[in-house]
Amino acid sequence: MREENHSVVSEFVLVGLTSSLEIQLVLFLVFSVFYVAGILGNLLIVLTVVSDSQLHSPMYFLLANLSFIDMWVSSSVVPKMISDVFKERKVISFQGCIAQMFFIHVVVGTEMVLLIIMALDRYVAICRPLHYLIIMNFQTCILLLVAAWIIGIIHSLIQLVFVVNLPFCDHNEMDSFYCDLPRFIKLACTDTYRLELMVSADSGFISLGTFFILIISYIFILITVWQHSSSGLSKALSTLSAHITVVVLFFGPCIFVYLWPFPMVPVDKFLGIFYVVITPFMNPAIYTFRNKEMKVAMRRRLIQILSFRELF
Ligand SMILES: *[C@@H]1O[C@H](CO)[C@@H](O)[C@H](O)[C@H]1NC(C)=O
């Protein structure tokens, strides 16, 4: 019986964010601008860090890696969403849906671990400055980054192996603008209570756990700075408040969506916008463009490019 039913759903219909044509037009413009600006900003950061030898230090490599992941986070959802805006029927194949969920969880999971690594890097730089280069050497950085990707992949695989074989009957309408794991599970025609708990445990744990680790490390950094010089505190506070804004914008919605998947509240489909559209756009602005060394490097690059073109 189940086997027969399983083949009934071969694609999902995405409801999107709204049915109003005017709002869709506005969303189309806003998301396109955010997406393109985010990709360009992040690309600029990666290219600057990789090509400028003065930026070859753990902090900048980590920032470049964050930009690299951010491009994938927004690309996993936004291009399809933008191209769907004016389609009467927004569909995604069963395999496409699985692939999208897998990909989103890999990159978002990896990004969360990477944010912890970046906080650790700042902690060592500020609290153990004399040992910084010994602790955060190139090998350690690579090792931590590989660990971040492995954790992201494992986190995503664990959830996906449990849901790929779910039976689907006739409900294939997903009230979201991308394939969203909690909603995917809700559509299955079987008792999904345990699966939902599993997703809450896995995704909820990784978002809530990372959130607390980050907040605690920021508090540690602030206390250390404060003990050494109260004048340094206001500078550290202004840097960290930007980080904390990102962390709240990124993790708040994740924690809400994944720790609370049972009564589907209508607002939670809009929360996805924060972590797939807004944070990948804001990260470069907050982490990098406020950084003086980075701005100098970019200007240097620009002058090089301009003077190179004058040769022709
Ligand atoms: C990520 O960091 C590593 C070293 O920490 C660096 O070699 C690599 O170029 C970085 N990747 C990107 C895309 O910036």
Side-chain angles (χ1 to χ4, degrees):
M1 186 69 189
R2 278 269 160 83
E3 286 300 305
E4 241 171 78
N5 281 338
H6 187 32
S7 57
V8 172
V9 168
S10 64
E11 61 181 24
F12 292 96
V13 178
L14 299 171
V15 173
L17 284 169
T18 165
S19 54
S20 144
L21 197 64
E22 291 83 13
I23 301 179
Q24 289 199 30
L25 184 65
V26 173
L27 290 178
F28 174 79
L29 291 174
V30 172
F31 288 167
S32 306
V33 169
F34 268 74
Y35 179 65
V36 173
I39 291 287
L40 290 179
N42 284 310
L43 202 59
L44 182 65
I45 291 169
V46 171
L47 293 179
T48 310
V49 170
V50 170
S51 68
D52 196 309
S53 58
Q54 294 193 26
L55 297 182
H56 285 182
S57 75
M59 187 180 93
Y60 292 106
F61 276 137
L62 294 176
L63 283 172
N65 277 272
L66 180 71
S67 286
F68 178 74
I69 294 180
D70 269 337
M71 290 193 266
W72 289 110
V73 170
S74 53
S75 299
S76 63
V77 172
V78 184
K80 161 124 181 79
M81 176 175 73
I82 290 176
S83 69
D84 271 351
V85 163
F86 295 112
K87 283 189 196 143
E88 194 76 36
R89 226 170 140 261
K90 314 174 197 326
V91 291
I92 184 164
S93 68
F94 189 87
Q95 288 85 352
C97 189
I98 296 280
Q100 190 178 45
M101 291 188 295
F102 176 72
F103 198 73
I104 293 173
H105 282 272
V106 169
V107 285
V108 172
T110 306
E111 172 153 349
M112 289 185 174
V113 182
L114 179 62
L115 288 172
I116 297 182
I117 299 174
M118 289 170 63
L120 181 79
D121 172 72
R122 286 305 80 207
Y123 173 79
V124 177
I126 293 172
C127 303
R128 312 275 305 273
L130 297 179
H131 301 107
Y132 179 61
L133 287 177
I134 301 168
I135 299 175
M136 291 300 289
N137 59 34
F138 189 69
Q139 274 92 347
T140 315
C141 269
I142 297 284
L143 209 69
L144 289 172
L145 286 171
V146 171
W149 281 99
I150 291 176
I151 292 174
I153 291 170
I154 291 177
H155 148 73
S156 185
L157 270 183
I158 288 177
Q159 299 181 124
L160 264 283
V161 288
F162 285 107
V163 302
V164 277
N165 285 323
L166 275 179
F168 288 89
C169 308
D170 46 358
H171 299 294
N172 71 339
E173 198 166 89
M174 203 177 285
D175 184 18
S176 180
F177 59 99
Y178 65 99
C179 270
D180 182 30
L181 189 58
R183 288 172 203 276
F184 177 85
I185 293 176
K186 271 267 184 278
L187 289 178
C189 51
T190 176
D191 180 20
T192 56
Y193 181 76
R194 278 154 172 250
L195 278 178
E196 287 170 50
L197 267 188
M198 186 272 299
V199 169
S200 290
D202 183 330
S203 287
F205 173 77
I206 194 169
S207 7
L208 200 61
T210 312
F211 180 73
F212 278 120
I213 292 175
L214 286 173
I215 294 296
I216 290 170
S217 63
Y218 292 152
I219 293 174
F220 254 100
I221 294 174
L222 283 178
I223 291 176
T224 311
V225 173
W226 181 57
Q227 279 170 346
H228 288 99
S229 76
S230 48
S231 60
L233 187 65
S234 68
K235 187 168 175 280
L237 210 56
S238 87
T239 312
L240 287 188
S241 61
H243 290 209
I244 292 167
T245 314
V246 171
V247 165
V248 169
L249 278 184
F250 184 60
F251 289 90
C254 284
I255 292 170
F256 187 82
V257 169
Y258 287 101
L259 278 183
W260 226 261
F262 306 110
M264 285 284 178
V265 252
V267 356
D268 77 357
K269 79 170 170 182
F270 295 96
L271 290 178
I273 296 174
F274 280 98
Y275 52 87
V276 299
V277 184
I278 299 184
T279 359
F281 165 82
M282 281 181 52
N283 273 351
I286 287 181
Y287 283 92
T288 315
F289 290 146
R290 287 162 48 111
N291 181 304
K292 193 151 158 260
E293 250 181 303
M294 194 74 193
K295 281 191 258 186
V296 172
M298 282 176 182
R299 206 165 304 141
R300 205 161 39 224
R301 205 79 295 240
L302 196 68
I303 292 170
Q304 271 175 8
I305 293 169
L306 291 179
S307 53
F308 181 69
R309 285 180 61 186
E310 274 167 20
L311 296 177
F312 294 95

